[in-house]
Amino acid sequence: MENTPGPRAGRTEWTALAVLMLPLLLVSMDVSVLYFAIPFVSQDLEPSATQQLWILDMYGFVLAGLLIVMGSLGDRIGRRRLVLAGAVVFGAASVAAAYAHSAEALIAVRALLGLGGAALMPSTLALIRSLFHDAKQRGKAVTIWTGVMTTGISLGPVVSGLLLEHFWWGSVFLINLPAMVLLLVLVPFLVPETATTARGRFDLSGAVLSLGALLAVIYGIKEWARHGYEPLPAICVAVGLVLGAVFVRRERRPAHPMIDLALIGRRAFGGPVLANLLAMFATVGMAVFFTQYLQSVLGQSPLTAALWSLVPAAGVALMAPTGAALAQRIDRAHVMGGGFLVAACGFLWMTQLRADSPLWFALVGAAVYAGGLVAAMTLANELALGAAPPEGAGSAAAVLESGQELGGALGMAVLGSVGAAVYSRDMADALPAGLPHADAVRETLGGAAAVAGELPAATADAVLTAARDAFTHGLGVAAVGAAVVMAGAGVFSIGFLRGLSGRAPSAPSSPDDSRRTASPR
């Protein structure tokens, strides 16, 4: 943070922060709101295994791909205006998703939801940098931001479970409407317009390049992880990397690029961005396994599973303040590294989970890894935001959030595909010859449950037992991958981020940058 304390924020700034947390909560909820609903979606729309993954993944892919684009657009048209536009798109897409009648339609509408979410998110963290000039207050605001984001991911399944007890699966999207209406009403009165004077023409071709690069790479990784090496996934990854290289080359030319490459090159910013990406990779990638384990393996109702999924928040409640307190006394890099290593221990615990394990065993492992991850992420967010100059807050927030969303999307794609591949292989070996609808049974645990309902009791029990064992085996293999990634993140944090103060560059900012109107209009 800066050496000189800035003016302290008052009631207006804290109220504005509270209003801005609403879109952040909803956008992060939509990453996970389908976890408990996916069995119902599978029964209604009958998606293939690949379509099921795309239904889960598409929102995060598009969201991550467009955050930088929307951050640049917000600098040109005003961040408050972009929040309002995003609320309209997000609300309309929520209605369309609720009434989708095919897997293809739901995938397409999830992409539109990602567009609306990308318009909403960049302003939330950027405005913290603009609203809170005092370092201690800004640290508290960043802690709130991180808490709301992680709470949204955890709250999504809970809201989904509560709604599915009484309504059909489309209700998990309609819950967004009242919040979007409230946002449209309150933001014009409570949130002042804050925009930087980013001159020059909006780089449409650069926006297309960035999105194309992201989607090509993630699609290739997802297909590669599921099916092994094949020419098409390899070509997609290669094309995506080429598009990404072209995009970075373009960003070196304009006076007002979408990405501040100099800022990313700073150890105090680029390092925390990478650390956050790895944390979200493990958080979101394993969350889908945990919720399906409670519902499909242990046989809990959506509501019961949703409520039990809140128990790991106890680890967050303990570790987040502990990490913040330790960071006041020792190098925050060591605290971040310790958080990642604690998370790695939690994931290793989960590798011992079995289909007949007691519930407490799963809850303990989830609490350990969640607590370690949130402790590390909170410090990484604070370090990155403090390292960004006020005039670059919008670009910095977009890059930081893009890394988080990309990490979550990659976690779903890579860990989800690894688990699915293990499940399919195990089920191919376990199924009796001549089983009807064997392809559906081999693809997903939900498909196995649906087919088992049409089989004789003895055969159904054998199929479900094999499917639950196969799913839990896939969960364990994915947990090994998450543990390895977390151990690497811990070593990286300790070795690369030591001694960083998180201070923004001392160069004075332009009076045109980060200007705020005297009153909301």
Side-chain angles (χ1 to χ4, degrees), residues 153-179:
I153 296 174
S154 301
L155 194 60
V158 176
V159 172
S160 176
L162 290 170
L163 291 172
L164 290 172
E165 284 288 304
H166 305 286
F167 306 103
W168 95 114
W169 61 264
S171 62
V172 303
F173 295 108
L174 293 182
I175 193 65
N176 294 330
L177 286 183

Side-chain angles (χ1 to χ4, degrees), residues 154-452:
S154 301
L155 194 60
V158 176
V159 172
S160 176
L162 290 170
L163 291 172
L164 290 172
E165 284 288 304
H166 305 286
F167 306 103
W168 95 114
W169 61 264
S171 62
V172 303
F173 295 108
L174 293 182
I175 193 65
N176 294 330
L177 286 183
M180 289 299 107
V181 172
L182 187 63
L183 187 67
L184 289 170
V185 172
L186 293 180
V187 163
F189 295 99
L190 295 177
V191 179
E193 181 66 278
T194 303
T196 56
T197 53
R199 304 185 188 281
R201 188 175 58 183
F202 180 75
D203 188 4
L204 181 60
S205 59
V208 173
L209 280 172
S210 66
L211 181 59
L214 177 72
L215 292 181
V217 168
I218 293 180
Y219 175 79
I221 290 174
K222 185 170 77 71
E223 292 300 303
W224 206 333
R226 179 165 175 79
H227 300 294
Y229 175 80
E230 292 181 354
L232 180 59
I235 291 172
C236 286
V237 172
V239 169
L241 292 176
V242 170
L243 292 176
V246 174
F247 173 72
V248 171
R249 184 179 180 86
R250 284 180 59 88
E251 291 302 287
R252 298 181 185 277
R253 302 176 190 170
H256 300 280
M258 288 185 180
I259 296 180
D260 186 347
L261 297 179
L263 177 63
I264 294 177
R266 294 188 65 220
R267 191 163 59 103
F269 184 81
V273 168
L274 178 58
N276 258 342
L277 185 152
L278 296 175
M280 289 298 292
F281 175 93
T283 300
V284 178
M286 284 302 296
V288 65
F289 286 102
F290 182 69
T291 53
Q292 287 190 55
Y293 178 83
L294 294 178
Q295 188 174 0
S296 298
V297 176
L298 299 186
Q300 295 178 350
S301 69
L303 179 58
T304 301
L307 294 175
W308 277 118
S309 70
L310 290 178
V311 173
V316 174
L318 175 65
M319 289 293 295
T322 300
L326 288 174
Q328 300 297 320
R329 296 175 173 83
I330 60 178
D331 194 318
R332 74 180 71 191
H334 290 90
V335 182
M336 287 175 58
F340 281 124
L341 294 178
V342 168
C345 291
F347 287 121
L348 288 176
W349 177 286
M350 296 295 284
T351 64
Q352 303 305 306
L353 192 65
R354 301 293 181 265
D356 57 354
S357 296
L359 175 60
W360 68 264
F361 193 91
L363 296 177
V364 168
V368 171
Y369 74 68
L373 284 169
V374 172
M377 289 175 63
T378 299
L379 294 175
N381 285 331
E382 185 180 350
L383 179 61
L385 192 60
E391 64 272 16
S395 173
V399 171
L400 183 60
E401 292 172 358
S402 293
Q404 291 171 341
E405 295 301 327
L406 174 59
L410 285 171
M412 275 191 180
V414 176
L415 296 182
S417 296
V418 167
V422 172
Y423 173 87
S424 296
R425 185 179 64 244
D426 286 1
M427 290 303 292
D429 297 335
L431 290 181
L435 184 74
H437 308 295
D439 290 342
V441 175
R442 281 194 294 265
E443 284 192 339
T444 65
L445 179 55
V451 172

Side-chain angles (χ1 to χ4, degrees), residues 1-172:
M1 302 297 174
E2 288 95 338
N3 286 317
T4 305
R8 292 181 63 81
R11 183 181 301 174
T12 301
E13 287 79 9
W14 287 108
T15 303
L17 176 67
V19 171
L20 289 170
M21 292 303 96
L22 183 60
L24 176 64
L25 180 67
L26 292 169
V27 170
S28 56
M29 275 178 55
D30 258 48
V31 172
S32 59
V33 76
L34 280 181
Y35 289 172
F36 286 130
I38 201 66
F40 298 92
V41 174
S42 296
Q43 292 176 11
D44 192 9
L45 303 184
E46 299 181 350
S48 66
T50 300
Q51 287 176 326
Q52 180 173 304
L53 280 174
W54 275 115
I55 289 171
L56 291 169
D57 294 347
M58 181 59 77
Y59 173 77
F61 292 169
V62 175
L63 182 67
L66 290 178
L67 280 171
I68 292 173
V69 175
M70 292 299 174
S72 176
L73 183 61
D75 287 345
R76 287 164 169 78
I77 69 172
R79 294 174 192 137
R80 187 183 69 180
R81 186 175 299 166
L82 189 63
V83 165
L84 296 174
V88 172
V89 173
F90 201 81
S94 296
V95 175
Y99 294 100
H101 293 293
S102 68
E104 295 83 359
L106 185 56
I107 292 170
V109 175
R110 288 279 283 172
L112 190 60
L113 276 167
L115 172 63
L120 288 167
M121 279 195 75
S123 294
T124 58
L125 192 56
L127 285 171
I128 288 177
R129 192 66 176 84
S130 301
L131 291 170
F132 297 93
H133 302 282
D134 179 77
K136 290 185 178 180
Q137 287 188 320
R138 186 166 62 248
K140 292 179 181 178
V142 170
T143 300
I144 292 171
W145 188 92
T146 306
V148 169
M149 183 193 67
T150 55
T151 298
I153 296 174
S154 301
L155 194 60
V158 176
V159 172
S160 176
L162 290 170
L163 291 172
L164 290 172
E165 284 288 304
H166 305 286
F167 306 103
W168 95 114
W169 61 264
S171 62
V172 303

